Amino acid sequence: MDQCVYSSELNSMRIGALLLVTILLVTGCSSTRLAYRYADWGIVWWVEDLVTLTPPQEQQLNNDIENLRQWHCSTELPRYRAWLSRFQNDLASGKPGPAEINNLQSQLLTFFPPLIQQITPVAVNLLSSLSDEQVRELAGNMAEQHREQEEEFLVGDAEAIAQARAERTMERAEHWLGSLNGSQKSSISDWSDNRAGQTRIWLAGRKHWQNALLDALENRNKPGFDDAITELVKKPEAARGSAHAEMMNKSTEAMASLIYELLQASQPSHLDHLARRTSDLSDDFKALTCKPGSEVALRAYE
């Protein structure tokens, strides 16, 4: 499966929706400011698409998400701006080499642990409040969603799946680089051809994680539930299995190589387009950054 789709499913269920806030910012999949400011409503809608929440649950979720957003806009957005600044400096110095790309990618991945740390109690609060009926509803909707994902991403033979993956990746690459040249399109096609089988592995890993979540929910009123959810949120790879972990390691390396090839094949117009996109994104981060509230400020020094 391609990188953007995987990222939006990092922790499945509502965890994935919360992480989408960051993904929207980092990948530029939508209007950054609009997506950020109204992400709470999107998250509530996404959760309610899987579980029908009671009014008290919705109120608690809204409160938790508002606290999360306050922390995120005051603490994390400045980190994103700093990362973009380093990337812009690398671009100004010339096309980044493999070492620079790997370093930037590693820095980018450091954004996720703090967010997951903050998300964990939000997830525990919601999941521990579910009734038996809501858990059954969640199980049924996740099973249906899994079938839909299989129908969407496993349609056709291996060649058709690779072509669809390449087309999605080209569309996102053009967002950052503008119209791609033949060499860039060829690199994406080769990259996609070499990803054969990983969509099925991703779906299997996702299903394993969901099953582990449902198993944990059976004991949501017993000691140890908080620890079980924390483990699933912070270390999802353990539930997804070794095949998924190996696939993701290879996918991460392949993505870094693809980015390097796309930049090496770039013409001045591509780099100018990329510079404008990153500048616009940096401006969005600056506009969205907020001062920490008292609760956020206290947590920062704990």
Side-chain angles (χ1 to χ4, degrees):
M1 200 191 86
D2 58 271
Q3 198 76 1
C4 190
V5 176
Y6 171 77
S7 296
S8 68
E9 291 290 345
L10 274 175
N11 287 306
S12 196
M13 213 191 78
R14 68 178 301 281
I15 311 304
L18 286 167
L19 282 175
L20 185 59
V21 175
T22 296
I23 302 306
L24 284 168
L25 296 174
V26 175
T27 64
C29 296
S30 184
S31 171
T32 303
R33 299 189 193 189
L34 185 64
Y36 194 86
R37 286 170 177 155
Y38 293 95
D40 51 349
W41 297 112
I43 291 166
V44 171
W45 170 85
W46 199 89
V47 173
E48 290 181 335
D49 195 44
L50 292 177
V51 181
T52 304
L53 300 181
T54 65
Q57 286 172 328
E58 287 191 359
Q59 182 61 51
Q60 181 63 56
L61 181 58
N62 282 331
N63 292 340
D64 286 344
I65 290 172
E66 182 56 35
N67 289 334
L68 175 65
R69 186 170 59 177
Q70 177 67 30
W71 163 81
H72 194 266
C73 69
S74 62
T75 304
E76 297 302 285
L77 289 188
R79 295 181 63 211
Y80 298 174
R81 287 185 64 202
W83 181 88
L84 272 178
S85 179
R86 289 190 292 270
F87 180 55
Q88 290 170 317
N89 289 337
D90 284 348
L91 284 178
S93 301
K95 298 176 181 178
E100 288 80 11
I101 294 295
N102 286 328
N103 187 43
L104 286 166
Q105 187 180 53
S106 296
Q107 293 170 356
L108 187 62
L109 292 175
T110 66
F111 294 158
F112 291 98
L115 182 57
I116 292 173
Q117 179 71 30
Q118 297 295 325
I119 284 171
T120 301
V122 180
V124 170
N125 281 345
L126 178 64
L127 295 173
S128 63
S129 74
L130 297 183
S131 66
D132 290 345
E133 182 180 357
Q134 287 175 316
V135 172
R136 288 192 293 270
E137 180 185 15
L138 173 63
N141 285 334
M142 287 198 301
E144 177 62 26
Q145 190 181 72
H146 184 77
R147 287 191 292 271
E148 292 174 353
Q149 293 280 0
E150 288 183 325
E151 292 175 0
E152 179 178 358
F153 294 113
L154 298 179
V155 174
D157 56 19
E159 183 177 351
I161 293 173
Q163 179 62 30
R165 179 168 49 237
E167 289 175 357
R168 292 192 299 269
T169 304
M170 287 181 190
E171 182 178 351
R172 283 189 294 277
E174 287 181 344
H175 171 86
W176 290 106
L177 297 172
S179 297
L180 303 179
N181 57 36
S183 178
Q184 291 169 324
K185 291 179 180 179
S186 179
S187 290
I188 292 176
S189 294
D190 291 344
W191 166 84
S192 183
D193 290 341
N194 291 328
R195 306 276 70 75
Q198 72 175 27
T199 302
R200 197 173 299 277
I201 295 173
W202 166 72
L203 284 170
R206 181 173 182 267
K207 184 66 173 178
H208 293 326
W209 189 93
Q210 290 179 345
N211 289 338
L213 173 63
L214 292 174
D215 288 343
L217 285 170
E218 291 299 315
N219 300 305
R220 63 190 179 283
N221 297 318
K222 298 179 181 179
F225 174 71
D226 291 10
D227 292 338
I229 295 301
T230 298
E231 185 76 7
L232 283 172
V233 173
K234 293 186 176 181
K235 300 178 181 179
E237 63 279 0
R240 291 195 177 107
S242 58
H244 186 278
E246 181 180 358
M247 179 271 290
M248 282 309 303
N249 287 335
K250 292 180 179 179
S251 179
T252 300
E253 294 175 1
M255 180 57 65
S257 296
L258 176 61
I259 293 172
Y260 170 71
E261 291 179 14
L262 293 178
L263 291 176
Q264 288 301 305
S266 293
Q267 298 164 331
S269 60
H270 293 123
L271 298 179
D272 289 343
H273 188 98
L274 179 58
R276 289 194 298 272
R277 284 294 189 186
T278 55
S279 178
D280 289 343
L281 192 56
S282 181
D283 289 343
D284 285 339
F285 290 162
K286 182 178 181 180
L288 290 165
T289 298
C290 59
K291 294 181 179 180
S294 57
E295 182 181 353
V296 174
L298 286 173
R299 285 208 306 267
Y301 291 98
E302 289 178 351

